[in-house]
């Protein structure tokens, strides 16, 4: 193999042979020439030998590098010789005249600095990733849950965000049937809602409850009746608005109540019909409280036909290989005192 010698004006060094500067005009020329002569296949031993070489240059010789490397001069000499043989070039001169780095050695030194710096940065980045949460959490929710004080998602997020992370959250509001199917096929990592029917392949964990009551507008005829037995009998003569498929499946209604004539999956839409004074509707108490505080609606027979419903967390059965989702679910369960 031909060893190329480079003119002195390409690079400068101090009296120890340590690089002080390389003429930028010739840097690419040196590297291209080296590339043509040999190709170094980097592996763990190569990295170790390059580190020995850089330390020797930084210390200005083998003797000074012994303490830093915790190696004998003989071991350092062997490491340097093996690296030179692997590269096919002489990196430094050592002998009675002292230590001196060659022009090719100066170019390799600079390249080694880049390689070792990148290797060190990779190790730091890998350590950071190991301790930092990185990824995405996809959540399916049912609508109108924010006003329920029992739903402690804000507490969950607050705890989750105390950890260093680079996590993206994606939330969608949809019906319970879609929540289940999308959680089962992996489009959602988890879903939270009201699930009247359970399907195989999903795990269900109770998180919190929601109270539901029957409401009418303040100017509705039933709002004026104080006798509960009469009120219960008269329910059948008034129109009903449905408040969603899941709620309809779970509610235990009095036999005197009529079937809904208005169907919607949206609580806001159901409330609009109730506010018209022409319809009755079952609504979550936390949701209806806003209009009740304004005197626009009132609840009917809350102690007799009010209902408490369980909301569940659902996840795909069989475990997850996703640390971010696991940590978030753990925080969610802790916030709700669930297991």
């Amino acid at each position: 193999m031909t060893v190329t010698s480079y003119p002195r004006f390409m690079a400068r060094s101090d009296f120890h042979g340590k690089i002080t500067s390389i003429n930028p005009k010739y840097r690419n020329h040196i590297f291209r020439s080296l590339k043509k002569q040999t190709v170094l296949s980097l592996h763990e031993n190569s990295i170790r030998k390059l580190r020995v070489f850089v330390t020797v240059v930084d210390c200005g010789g083998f003797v000074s590098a012994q303490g830093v490397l915790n190696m004998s001069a003989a071991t350092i000499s062997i490491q340097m010789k093996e690296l030179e043989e692997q590269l096919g070039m002489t990196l430094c001169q050592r002998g009675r005249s002292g230590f001196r780095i060659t022009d090719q050695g100066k170019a390799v030194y600079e390249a080694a600095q880049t390689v070792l710096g990148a290797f060190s940065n990779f190790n730091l980045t890998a350590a950071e990733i190991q301790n930092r949460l990185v990824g995405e959490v996809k959540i399916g929710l049912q609508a109108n849950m924010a006003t329920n004080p029992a739903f402690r998602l804000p507490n969950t997020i607050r705890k989750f965000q105390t950890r260093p992370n680079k996590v993206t959250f994606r939330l969608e509001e949809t019906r319970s049937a879609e929540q289940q199917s999308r959680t089962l096929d992996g489009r959602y990592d988890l879903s939270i809602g009201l699930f009247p029917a359970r399907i195989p392949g999903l795990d269900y964990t109770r998180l919190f409850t929601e109270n539901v009551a029957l409401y009418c507008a303040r100017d509705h005829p039933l709002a004026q009746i104080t006798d509960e037995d009469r009120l219960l009998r008269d329910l059948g003569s008034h129109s009903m608005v449905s408040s969603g498929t899941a709620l309809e499946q779970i509610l235990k209604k009095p036999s005197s109540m009529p079937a809904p004539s208005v169907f919607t999956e949206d609580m806001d839409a159901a409330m609009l019909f109730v506010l018209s004074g022409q319809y009755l509707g079952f609504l979550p108490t936390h949701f209806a409280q806003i209009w009740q505080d304004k005197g626009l609606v009132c609840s009917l027979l809350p102690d007799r036909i009010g209902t408490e419903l369980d909301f569940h967390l659902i996840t795909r059965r069989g475990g997850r290989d996703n640390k971010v989702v696991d940590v978030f679910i753990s925080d969610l369960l802790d916030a709700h005192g669930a297991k």
Side-chain angles (χ1 to χ4, degrees):
M1 178 177 290
T2 302
V3 178
T4 304
S5 177
Y6 299 103
R8 281 288 185 189
F9 59 81
M10 286 187 178
R12 296 188 180 186
S13 61
D14 57 23
F15 66 95
H16 291 299
K18 183 177 179 179
I19 291 175
T20 57
S21 65
I22 289 182
N23 190 330
K25 182 177 180 182
Y26 298 100
R27 182 182 289 109
N28 290 338
H29 171 75
I30 292 175
F31 288 160
R32 282 196 301 268
S33 178
L34 288 174
K35 187 175 180 181
K36 290 178 180 178
Q37 294 177 46
T38 184
V39 176
L40 173 62
S41 177
L42 287 178
H43 45 73
E44 188 175 352
N45 286 335
S46 303
I47 295 294
R48 184 163 51 248
K49 291 170 187 174
L50 284 174
R51 188 172 283 114
V52 169
F53 169 58
V54 168
T55 303
V56 168
V57 174
D58 288 342
C59 292
F62 289 18
V63 176
S64 300
Q66 290 181 73
V68 177
L69 293 171
N70 194 27
M71 294 180 180
S72 65
T75 301
I76 294 174
S77 179
I78 292 172
Q79 295 278 321
M80 289 291 296
K81 183 178 179 180
E82 289 177 352
L83 180 62
E84 288 178 327
E85 290 176 351
Q86 188 175 2
L87 290 171
M89 65 184 74
T90 300
L91 300 176
C92 59
Q93 302 290 345
R94 51 269 197 194
R96 294 181 179 178
S97 59
F99 175 83
R100 185 181 68 80
I101 188 170
T102 65
D103 291 326
Q104 288 181 322
K106 293 170 186 176
V108 171
Y109 173 86
E110 183 173 288
Q113 293 277 43
T114 302
V115 171
L116 295 177
F119 187 74
S120 177
N121 288 338
F122 171 80
N123 287 336
L124 288 173
T125 301
E128 288 178 1
I129 291 174
Q130 186 178 23
N131 296 318
R132 185 180 63 188
L133 299 172
V134 179
E136 184 176 66
V137 181
K138 304 180 290 296
I139 306 173
L141 294 175
Q142 289 180 16
N144 306 112
M145 296 172 62
T147 52
N148 189 343
F151 184 30
R152 300 190 178 96
L153 184 62
N155 308 65
T156 304
I157 296 169
R158 189 179 302 116
K159 181 179 180 181
F160 186 87
Q161 289 301 114
T162 61
R163 305 178 184 87
N165 73 83
K166 192 175 182 181
V167 175
T168 301
F169 288 91
R170 301 191 186 279
L171 290 83
E172 289 183 3
E173 289 187 346
T174 187
R175 298 186 302 171
S176 62
E178 280 77 13
Q179 284 182 290
Q180 291 180 115
S181 64
R182 293 174 188 178
T183 303
L184 190 61
D185 67 21
R187 279 181 285 176
Y188 296 159
D189 296 308
L190 62 135
S191 289
I192 303 166
L194 190 65
F195 304 106
R198 299 195 174 190
I199 62 175
L202 293 176
D203 289 323
Y204 294 76
T205 305
R206 181 181 175 276
L207 288 183
F208 59 91
T209 60
E210 179 176 85
N211 292 314
V212 175
L214 181 65
Y215 288 90
C216 69
R218 183 61 67 179
D219 58 356
H220 191 281
L222 293 182
Q224 316 309 319
I225 300 175
T226 57
D227 183 276
E228 290 190 358
D229 291 333
R230 179 190 167 190
L231 183 56
L232 192 59
R233 289 193 305 268
D234 289 354
L235 290 176
S237 59
H238 296 275
S239 300
M240 287 286 302
V241 55
S242 168
S243 299
T245 305
L247 192 56
E248 288 292 328
Q249 292 176 1
I250 292 177
L251 284 175
K252 296 180 180 179
K253 302 179 185 179
S255 58
S256 59
M257 295 199 68
S261 57
V262 177
F263 298 90
T264 178
E265 296 293 333
D266 187 273
M267 292 291 177
D268 287 322
M271 177 57 81
L272 291 174
F273 275 83
V274 171
L275 289 170
S276 72
Q278 303 300 307
Y279 292 87
L280 308 176
F282 280 96
L283 297 166
T285 55
H286 62 84
F287 174 77
Q289 192 65 48
I290 300 171
W291 289 273
Q292 192 165 10
D293 289 344
K294 295 178 180 179
L296 298 176
V297 300
C298 61
S299 59
L300 302 173
L301 304 170
D303 295 331
R304 297 182 66 171
I305 58 176
T307 305
E308 186 177 76
L309 306 175
D310 290 334
F311 273 64
H312 288 80
L313 158 73
I314 60 171
T315 56
R316 186 165 54 179
R317 187 169 298 162
R320 297 166 300 277
D321 186 19
N322 190 324
K323 179 182 178 181
V324 174
V325 175
D326 287 341
V327 171
F328 183 81
I329 289 176
S330 177
D331 288 347
L332 183 68
L333 295 176
D334 286 346
H336 292 88
K339 294 183 179 180

